[in-house]
Amino acid sequence: MSGYVLGLRGFQPLHPIVNISLSQGKGNGSSFSLLTNSNYVFSNSISKQPVLSLWSSKIITKTSSSCTPKLKTQATKSQAGSSSWPQHQSQKQEEEEEEEEEEEFQLVTAIRSQFNDILILDTPNSRMLLLDATHNVHSILYKDQKWTGSYWDEFASLPAIVPKGPIAIFGLGGGTTARLMLDLWPSLQLEGWEIDEILIEKSREYLGLSDLEKRTVAGGILNVHIGDALSQSVNASGGFAGIVVDLFSGGKVLPQLQEVQTWLELNDRLMPNGRLMVNCGGIDEAANVIDGVVHPKNSSIDGTWVQNYTIKALSKAFPGKLSWKRKPKSEGGNYLALTGPLPDLISWSAIVPDPLSTAVKQWKPCGTFS
């Protein structure tokens, strides 16, 4: 399960108004507010669709040249008449900004599984998979572009620096990472693990996941597996060339990923010279959300990797053989980690297309500060 942070504040399954504040990347980042009058009911059964009514509503975003929305502190008024707009702002200004930034969306499906509350939203530009009690965005499928402008793009650079062989994705979600990888490297054999079977069914139906399960002209394919990616039974003959780790629950990195032993066990599943690339979330996975903006609780060390518990565990498991980077706040602010010796960044940059050619040059070995 993967994606960018989406806080669903004051959510009640039967309440007619849902305020959603979206920050990319399970930590810090840009955000938008969403006000829906869609009145939907979660089914208690994982095998039935919930009742949906009043599907159409609006997303309020801050427009920008980026393919991901910028920060917009709640620019919508609730039916109760409260507003987060400054009181001195004129009604004309308010109307002009709302007219410029409103975007229609539809709630395509809403269902509760054993593991998640699952929502899929459709907008003119994208479809988004929202999961768990926090309703974080765990996958996004743009309709007119392949790049997401978030950490999913980074994972697509991994095949360029690992041996030839199968690559595993632990935390498949709706398949955003797999789609990018197969687009750039159409001969890849991808093995994707996801614990939630209902999530996979809905991703096949609404996010095009089933298209990735068909062999490409070059022979590449995504094989989907249902189960716990951290189980000892998850392996490949001869080992994986690479493993993408994007495992979250309740908006936080799985606690097992903050244990050194977990990483040593995952490293044993790699072939020689194989690598792990990890979405480590934000700073210590601890933050306050004020007016839709994420404020890390621990900010004493100017944004370095030592603030992230997952990277600290990785650095102990792979001393001297771990690299890190942090996405810009405009792209989610996620920390990422890469095992193995620091690659030749110039050669790596020359192999991958833009925008990855610029992005890969930002990796640096743990133990340095910026």
Side-chain angles (χ1 to χ4, degrees):
M1 295 178 228
S2 58
Y4 31 135
V5 172
L6 187 97
L8 199 64
R9 297 190 296 277
F11 174 69
Q12 298 294 330
L14 300 181
H15 200 283
I17 298 177
V18 181
N19 288 316
I20 302 179
S21 174
L22 172 63
S23 289
Q24 304 167 45
K26 294 195 179 73
N28 307 322
S30 53
S31 62
F32 64 75
S33 297
L34 179 152
L35 176 68
T36 175
N37 290 329
S38 298
N39 201 358
Y40 58 89
V41 181
F42 279 117
S43 168
N44 288 326
S45 168
I46 64 173
S47 61
K48 294 182 180 180
Q49 272 295 103
V51 177
L52 299 177
S53 63
L54 300 176
W55 282 30
S56 293
S57 191
K58 296 183 184 296
I59 285 178
I60 310 298
T61 67
K62 185 70 174 179
T63 56
S64 72
S65 59
S66 172
C67 62
T68 49
K70 297 294 182 182
L71 175 64
K72 180 65 176 179
T73 304
Q74 282 183 262
T76 56
K77 293 184 177 180
S78 74
Q79 290 183 342
S82 63
S83 173
S84 61
W85 286 90
Q87 295 300 314
H88 64 268
Q89 184 171 17
S90 70
Q91 182 177 356
K92 182 177 180 181
Q93 288 176 305
E94 196 171 313
E95 290 174 351
E96 286 177 352
E97 290 201 26
E98 287 188 2
E99 180 179 358
E100 179 182 33
E101 296 168 358
E102 287 182 357
E103 181 180 8
E104 295 293 324
F105 81 96
Q106 290 184 327
L107 178 61
V108 176
T109 187
I111 193 169
R112 176 170 292 160
S113 73
Q114 177 184 353
F115 301 97
N116 290 296
D117 292 343
I118 300 170
L119 306 179
I120 296 179
L121 300 182
D122 182 81
T123 80
N125 297 318
S126 67
R127 281 197 172 182
M128 295 181 287
L129 171 68
L130 286 59
L131 293 181
D132 63 49
T134 63
H135 292 82
N136 292 352
V137 175
H138 283 246
S139 285
I140 190 164
L141 174 63
Y142 283 101
K143 298 177 181 179
D144 58 356
Q145 62 190 46
K146 66 183 177 183
W147 302 111
T148 68
S150 191
Y151 72 88
W152 292 294
D153 298 347
E154 300 280 349
F155 288 147
S157 67
L158 180 62
I161 54 170
V162 296
K164 185 177 180 179
I167 293 179
I169 301 173
F170 290 175
L172 183 61
T176 300
T177 297
R179 184 176 300 277
L180 285 166
M181 281 189 168
L182 285 173
D183 182 87
L184 296 183
W185 318 97
S187 64
L188 283 181
Q189 178 187 335
L190 298 179
E191 305 293 336
W193 266 267
E194 174 57 53
I195 201 168
D196 193 334
E197 185 173 9
I198 303 299
L199 185 161
I200 292 297
E201 290 178 3
K202 295 305 175 185
S203 296
R204 285 169 173 157
E205 185 174 359
Y206 296 110
L207 295 172
L209 183 64
S210 57
D211 293 337
L212 308 180
E213 298 176 273
K214 302 172 184 175
R215 197 167 294 279
T216 69
V217 174
I221 195 169
L222 168 66
N223 297 311
V224 177
H225 307 269
I226 306 298
D228 180 1
L230 298 181
S231 168
Q232 295 288 340
S233 63
V234 175
N235 217 322
S237 177
F240 294 111
I243 301 176
V244 167
V245 182
D246 197 10
L247 296 171
F248 285 73
S249 179
K252 297 182 179 181
V253 172
L254 293 187
Q256 299 96 306
L257 302 186
Q258 296 174 359
E259 299 173 4
V260 173
Q261 185 60 34
T262 299
W263 295 113
L264 296 177
E265 292 173 359
L266 290 181
N267 190 62
D268 287 341
R269 304 184 196 182
L270 294 171
M271 63 176 59
N273 300 316
R275 295 176 183 266
L276 306 170
M277 187 179 281
V278 187
N279 175 13
C280 301
I283 296 175
D284 285 357
E285 299 302 320
N288 293 317
V289 179
I290 303 173
D291 292 331
V293 180
V294 179
H295 300 274
K297 293 179 180 177
N298 179 1
S299 57
S300 60
I301 309 178
D302 196 22
T304 57
W305 63 271
V306 295
Q307 292 178 270
N308 184 279
Y309 292 146
T310 304
I311 298 185
K312 285 198 286 187
L314 280 158
S315 68
K316 293 177 182 178
F318 308 105
K321 293 185 178 180
L322 186 73
S323 304
W324 73 286
K325 69 181 296 184
R326 191 181 185 190
K327 298 292 290 179
K329 288 185 178 181
S330 61
E331 298 177 11
N334 286 53
Y335 284 89
L336 299 171
L338 176 70
T339 65
L342 181 69
D344 182 324
L345 301 184
I346 301 301
S347 299
W348 191 7
S349 174
I351 297 172
V352 297
D354 287 331
L356 296 180
S357 59
T358 299
V360 299
K361 293 179 181 179
Q362 298 164 358
W363 286 97
K364 46 200 166 186
C366 283
T368 65
F369 295 84
S370 60

